[in-house]
């Protein structure tokens, strides 16, 4: 690093800027944190890692933006459990290419974004590395006892619904990395904003969870809609049919798809707005959007839509769970074909 301060001075500087959260008896600076959970609640724990060059690129995100997106990725896991984020520990492995100020920007943005949902960083670790920058965050939350959503529980006949506009992250990266040098200016502004700082779905999930047993199963869309639907179906022991015509695609995503189609060459021609395989591929394939995929009891659908509307969340029914195994995509022409659950895989060749 360009600055010469040692490990403990750096840790003290990072710790001094962290806000103290609710339920923190002993916070950062001691050997361990002491936390007090609410009576009648279960503890929910999730851990995630961001690796520079694998999960984020310095030529597309500033250190602060990377820290905020990292927080968003972690809180999405708790939203998928209908849990309230409370506390986090953050471990950083920092290479010489990162200055102390850049590390501070990353952690400050991460802490700020977590605190926007009520969670405080209560401890962690700082070390140096000769490899890429690595951040690991363990996020703890609470949920009313026995009220956590799970991937298992979807029933045949449940409506399958997704929040927001999945595929936006894939569209952003495809446009930004289309040519050298990489540039996020090639993506529509709203698509870029969705990638840089995904909207929190914690309040939506908490409100929906408190309204009744409407949601039978849930998962966050971080690997891709088709892949995460496959995870939910496998855990629940159900199949699914998805209607291509019902997949959400708002104007910014349609614009991104048309631009990508034009980039791909004149032999294919521009993609008609709202139609075509490229738009469907963006929505269904690998894309870390941090939205929610829910299996909802049909009788509760209107209630769930009302809650979403009140909170400014777009909730779209895209298909149904069914008894028969496997996932089927029903095309706009009514023809059905198996839907391959291809998404993000760290160890894929």
């Amino acid at each position: 690093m360009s600055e010469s301060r040692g490990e403990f001075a750096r840790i003290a500087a990072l710790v001094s800027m962290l806000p103290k959260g609710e339920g923190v008896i002993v916070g950062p600076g001691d050997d361990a944190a002491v936390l007090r959970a609410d009576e009648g609640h279960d503890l929910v724990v999730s851990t995630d890692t961001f690796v520079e060059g694998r999960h984020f690129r310095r030529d597309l995100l500033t250190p602060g933006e990377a820290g905020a997106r990292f927080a968003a990725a972690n809180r999405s896991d708790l939203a998928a459990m209908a849990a309230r984020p409370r506390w986090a520990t953050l471990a950083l492995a920092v290479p010489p290419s990162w200055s102390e100020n850049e590390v501070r920007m990353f952690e400050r943005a991460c802490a700020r974004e977590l605190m926007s949902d009520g969670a405080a960083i209560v401890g962690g670790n700082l070390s140096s590395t000769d490899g890429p920058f690595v951040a690991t965050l363990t996020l703890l939350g609470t949920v009313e006892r026995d009220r956590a959503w799970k991937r298992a529980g979807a029933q045949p006949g449940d409506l399958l619904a997704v929040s927001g506009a999945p595929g936006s992250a894939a569209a952003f990266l495809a446009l930004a990395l289309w040519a050298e040098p990489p540039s996020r200016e090639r993506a529509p502004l709203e698509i870029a904003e969705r990638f840089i700082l995904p909207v929190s779905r914690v309040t939506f999930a908490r409100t929906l969870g408190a309204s009744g047993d409407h949601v039978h199963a849930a998962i966050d869309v971080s690997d891709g809609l088709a892949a995460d639907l496959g995870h939910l179906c496998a855990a629940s022991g159900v199949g699914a049919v998805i209607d291509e015509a019902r997949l959400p695609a708002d104007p910014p995503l349609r614009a991104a798809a048309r631009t990508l189609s034009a980039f791909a060459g004149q032999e294919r021609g521009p993609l008609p707005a709202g139609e075509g395989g490229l738009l469907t591929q963006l929505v269904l394939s690998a894309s870390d959007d941090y939205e929610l995929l829910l299996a909802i009891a049909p009788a509760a659908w209107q209630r769930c839509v009302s809650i979403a509307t009140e909170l400014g969340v777009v909730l779209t029914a895209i298909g149904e769970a069914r008894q028969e195994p496997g996932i089927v995509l029903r095309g706009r022409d009514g023809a059905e074909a198996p839907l391959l659950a291809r998404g993000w895989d760290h160890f894929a060749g």
Side-chain angles (χ1 to χ4, degrees), residues 29-105:
D30 217 305
D31 287 320
V34 179
L35 312 172
R36 182 165 294 160
D38 300 328
E39 186 177 353
H41 288 69
D42 292 325
L43 192 63
V44 181
V45 184
S46 177
T47 299
D48 201 5
T49 296
F50 255 27
V51 180
E52 181 183 352
R54 185 68 171 170
H55 300 95
F56 72 96
R57 296 171 55 115
R58 293 287 297 278
D59 51 4
L60 293 181
L61 293 177
T62 67
E65 290 169 344
R69 182 167 168 80
F70 185 41
N74 281 270
R75 73 182 175 200
S76 182
D77 287 328
L78 265 65
M81 311 294 288
R84 172 192 174 196
R86 300 291 302 276
W87 312 288
T89 61
L90 178 63
L92 303 177
V94 183
S97 58
W98 280 62
S99 70
E100 183 177 351
N101 185 56
E102 288 171 327
V103 175
R104 193 158 49 242
M105 290 169 60

Side-chain angles (χ1 to χ4, degrees), residues 146-149 155 158 208-217 295-298 300 304:
D146 300 323
R147 299 290 294 174
W149 292 345
Q155 303 170 18
D158 281 351
L208 206 56
S211 68
D213 295 322
H214 307 321
V215 176
H216 292 161
I296 297 173
C304 293

Side-chain angles (χ1 to χ4, degrees), residues 108 132 229 246 279:
R108 184 182 293 121
L229 173 60
R246 298 162 72 183
L279 188 60

Side-chain angles (χ1 to χ4, degrees), residues 104-249:
R104 193 158 49 242
M105 290 169 60
F106 182 98
E107 184 167 40
R108 184 182 293 121
C110 183
R112 182 175 60 248
E113 201 57 34
L114 290 172
M115 184 54 72
S116 71
D117 275 314
I121 296 178
V122 298
N125 186 61
L126 179 67
S127 64
S128 63
T129 180
D130 294 327
F133 177 92
V134 178
T136 298
L137 189 139
T138 297
L139 182 59
L140 297 88
T142 55
V143 65
E144 291 74 16
R145 186 157 296 167
D146 300 323
R147 299 290 294 174
W149 292 345
K150 299 178 287 295
R151 297 180 182 186
Q155 303 170 18
D158 281 351
L159 293 177
L160 298 170
V162 66
S163 64
S168 296
F172 170 80
L173 287 174
L175 288 167
L177 301 176
W178 186 262
E180 292 294 337
S183 173
R184 65 199 212 184
E185 300 302 320
R186 285 191 283 270
L189 179 60
E190 191 168 348
I191 292 293
E193 289 175 343
R194 289 174 187 172
F195 180 86
I196 293 166
L197 186 55
V199 175
S200 172
R201 300 305 185 196
V202 168
T203 298
F204 171 56
R206 294 283 297 155
T207 305
L208 206 56
S211 68
D213 295 322
H214 307 321
V215 176
H216 292 161
I219 189 172
D220 90 310
V221 181
S222 56
D223 293 329
L225 182 53
D228 288 314
L229 173 60
H231 299 324
L232 185 147
C233 287
S236 297
V238 298
V241 57
I242 300 301
D243 285 303
E244 185 178 18
R246 298 162 72 183
L247 294 175

Side-chain angles (χ1 to χ4, degrees), residues 242-249 254 274-275 279-280 316-319 329-334:
I242 300 301
D243 285 303
E244 185 178 18
R246 298 162 72 183
L247 294 175
R254 294 174 191 271
E275 298 178 4
L279 188 60
T280 297
T316 306
I318 60 172
L329 179 66
R330 182 183 294 131
R332 293 181 176 87
D333 60 359

